[in-house]
Amino acid sequence: MSTRLRLLLAVALVVAAGAWTVVGLSKLEVDSDLDSLLPANDPAVEALAGMAQQFGGDPVVVLIEGGGDPLDKDRLPRLLRMEGELSALDDVVATFGPATTLNQIALRVKELLADLSGQRDALQQAGRTKELKQFERRYGALLVQALPAGLPTLSNADFVQSVVTDPRTGQVRAAWRQYLPADQTVAVYLRPRENLEEKAAAALAANVRDVLREDGAVPKDAETTITGAPVVSVGLADRLRSEVPRLALTAFAVVALALLLVPWTRRRWRLAPLLVMIGATAGTLGSFGWRDEPLSLGAATFLPIILGLGSYYPVYLSRTGHRRVVLAVSVSSALAFAGLLLSPLPFVAELGYAVPVGLGLVVAFSLLAAWVRPSLLDAGDEPVAGQIPKLSWSMPRGLAIGAVLVGVVGSAIGWGALAVTDLKTDPQQLLAGLPALDEAVHVEEVVGFSAEVDVRLIGADVLTPEALAWSRTAEREIVTRFGDRVQPVVTVSGLLSFLGEEPSAEQVEAGIDALPSYVTSAVVSLDRRHALASYGVAWTDLADDRNLVQSLSDALPPPPAGYRVEVSGLPAAAERGYDMVDGERYEASVVALLAAALALVLLLPSRRDALLALLASGMGTGLSIALLVAVIGALNPLTLTLGALTAAVGSEFTVLLLAARRAEDPAMQRSVMLAVLLSLGGYGVLLTSSLPVLRELGLALSGSVAVSVLVALALATLNPGSGISGAADAARRRAAAHQPADHLQPDGARP
């Protein structure tokens, strides 16, 4: 096939791939949903989704600090108006705050007193003296207790204080602390609709700020904080939008500089790998769009990895005599990263998809370029003759033996430490350093909690007296046993507490009808099959007691016949994610190592090289874990994937160094050196991230590359017959052994 025809076919393929990529990129969205940090297809996450379907997503918290007493008769009506405006915002399904709750209590007390007074007057007018005496004995005390507080209105300070504060201590009652957590501080909660997209969450946060900025809504000297999982998600999306392009451009610049300064091929072709790198990155991102999969935190981290792989695989493929080995190594690396698909956390599993796809595109684009113009990736034996000294990439044998011994001991320590090292899996730890999370931590310090655990009673009708009695008993049990760590936020039993201990079915119906729908929807579903009790819990308490959610679930009384109970919430799902990752600490690394080794055994002509690559990968993984634990002291779900990366780079460096030394190819050895520089440059860019989880990943990746190349070099040095001179001498001896005697000179040399 002529070069012209090849060029036309290549252009057609590139145009088609470009169009496919552009369409995919147009569909791509950035996902900041915290669900990507939670285990996929797990009952805890499904329960969380079921709760959100009935009652909305995780709440948005509005904290107002300062500005005087929020229960002051002049401020309370403005607070009530503000809560009403917040409840009317788009995507808000329920709002609960102090002014709304007080107003509903006042209305209900008015109705109750009017009803009692009407019944008393009717008995008196009818002359039913006996029934009147019984009525006064039963309800007289209630009427007398209501008189000192005066009329039940928000403008009556005595009434407000009698409801909110404990007369014995003068402190805010426990049931009101979630609304009035501190002096001159008020908290209002908004529950948005389920599955709130990032754009809708951002619009909701902006609308809340607009309401707060309205004249009179918030005192001028007060400070406001808006937080909650939806707001943190918006903050994460904003950070990713600014961080990922910066990291990508920085990595691009570092890789370009290394390619330009290291004379690995003719100068005019040195930056050619950048085109391959850009095409592979864009194609991988486009594939997410075609899959209708948003780009999450985990997928974003693949960019520096692809930038590293995408830049040095064309360098490897420039050595035409080693393409079979390079292709075998690429398959091995792809399978190693594909092992991450087994992770229960979506943002880690996405790496198992993104990196193999990106690597496949890198190799495909490189081979396409070589097919069109064979000289494009043909570096020649000496790219710049006379300017680059030959590199033996050897170390003294004694040093190599010492390095292997240290590697064996260090890797054993690392593999052992993997079983006991702390894991950071909850969103608060993974997103540390995010300003939106700092605001959530501040709210936690003020309110006493930063997340919710939800107890959901499910049955044919959750507003029967029996179901309401169970809810009341469950709340009492939780508060009694876990009151130091858990506090009620909004519960169906608390909302209907004005009905007394044993209300009748008619009283329950009257009580629920007296409350507005935007209040009752926070605890009772429209079909009355789900009743919710939300309890606030601090992430710090969850970190100290990983079994808190399970202990709370175990403490619940048995539900009434025909009903069932589900405990859900972000803490429960995060706790489940910790348990799943904790139970699979070794799985991803071992699978990656074995998958990489199996590919090399099947594809390489030398099984000895494959076994040495497995040994190097195993030692490199253990050493990398040991170093990371020594520096950071803990692992996160991304750094726990070290085995995949080390299996890839450890196998790669070992196999290619062995092949280069065996073939007496110093140019290939220079290619490995350049690959090390490109890897360190691409991965090291993550160290500049403002998110600790990405900085830790950058440290892990860079350290893994450095350790892997040292281990590979030591093993290549100790491998018999792998040196350049050793390989050449062995080849000459084998050739001489098959030559006739008269073809040899007296001194045994070849003629």
Side-chain angles (χ1 to χ4, degrees), residues 389-533:
K390 291 186 178 181
L391 301 176
S392 64
W393 273 77
S394 296
M395 62 171 61
R397 188 173 183 83
L399 181 59
I401 293 174
V404 171
L405 292 176
V406 170
V408 170
V409 174
S411 63
I413 294 174
W415 282 105
L418 183 58
V420 296
T421 301
D422 289 338
L423 290 180
K424 298 185 293 186
T425 58
D426 66 72
Q428 182 161 314
Q429 289 177 309
L430 295 176
L431 302 181
L434 195 68
L437 187 63
D438 294 338
E439 294 178 345
V441 172
H442 170 68
V443 171
E444 176 181 325
E445 294 172 349
V446 175
V447 178
F449 60 88
S450 54
E452 281 188 358
V453 174
D454 302 305
V455 178
R456 189 159 45 118
L457 180 67
I458 305 173
D461 186 357
V462 294
L463 290 178
T464 63
E466 295 79 14
L468 192 59
W470 180 90
S471 299
R472 187 181 302 108
T473 302
E475 179 179 352
R476 187 181 301 117
E477 189 69 22
I478 290 174
V479 172
T480 300
R481 296 184 57 176
F482 304 97
D484 58 332
R485 291 170 290 172
V486 172
Q487 65 182 83
V489 177
V490 59
T491 65
V492 63
S493 54
L495 189 64
L496 298 176
S497 60
F498 61 83
L499 297 176
E501 287 292 321
E502 297 180 1
S504 64
E506 293 77 10
Q507 289 172 328
V508 173
E509 291 293 339
I512 204 71
D513 290 340
L515 299 174
S517 60
Y518 72 85
V519 173
T520 59
S521 62
V523 292
V524 180
S525 62
L526 293 176
D527 59 6
R528 296 176 48 152
R529 297 180 60 86
H530 301 259
L532 183 69

Side-chain angles (χ1 to χ4, degrees), residues 80-98:
L80 177 64
R81 184 175 65 252
M82 182 194 76
E83 292 178 16
E85 292 175 355
L86 291 175
S87 68
L89 293 177
D90 292 338
D91 297 321
V92 173
V93 298
T95 301
F96 34 102

Side-chain angles (χ1 to χ4, degrees), residues 554-639:
D554 294 340
L556 294 173
Y563 292 80
R564 61 187 177 90
V565 178
E566 283 189 359
V567 179
S568 60
L570 191 59
E575 181 181 297
R576 176 62 179 158
Y578 173 90
D579 292 338
M580 295 180 69
V581 174
D582 185 51
E584 301 174 359
R585 292 180 180 230
Y586 289 95
E587 182 175 324
S589 295
V590 172
V591 168
L593 292 172
L594 295 179
L598 179 62
L600 294 178
V601 167
L602 295 176
L603 299 177
L604 287 179
S606 172
R607 293 187 177 180
R608 181 187 183 89
D609 288 1
L611 294 177
L612 286 174
L614 176 61
L615 178 61
S617 300
M619 290 173 58
T621 301
L623 280 171
S624 300
I625 293 172
L627 291 175
L628 191 64
V629 171
V631 174
I632 298 178
L635 297 173
N636 64 54
L638 285 177
T639 55

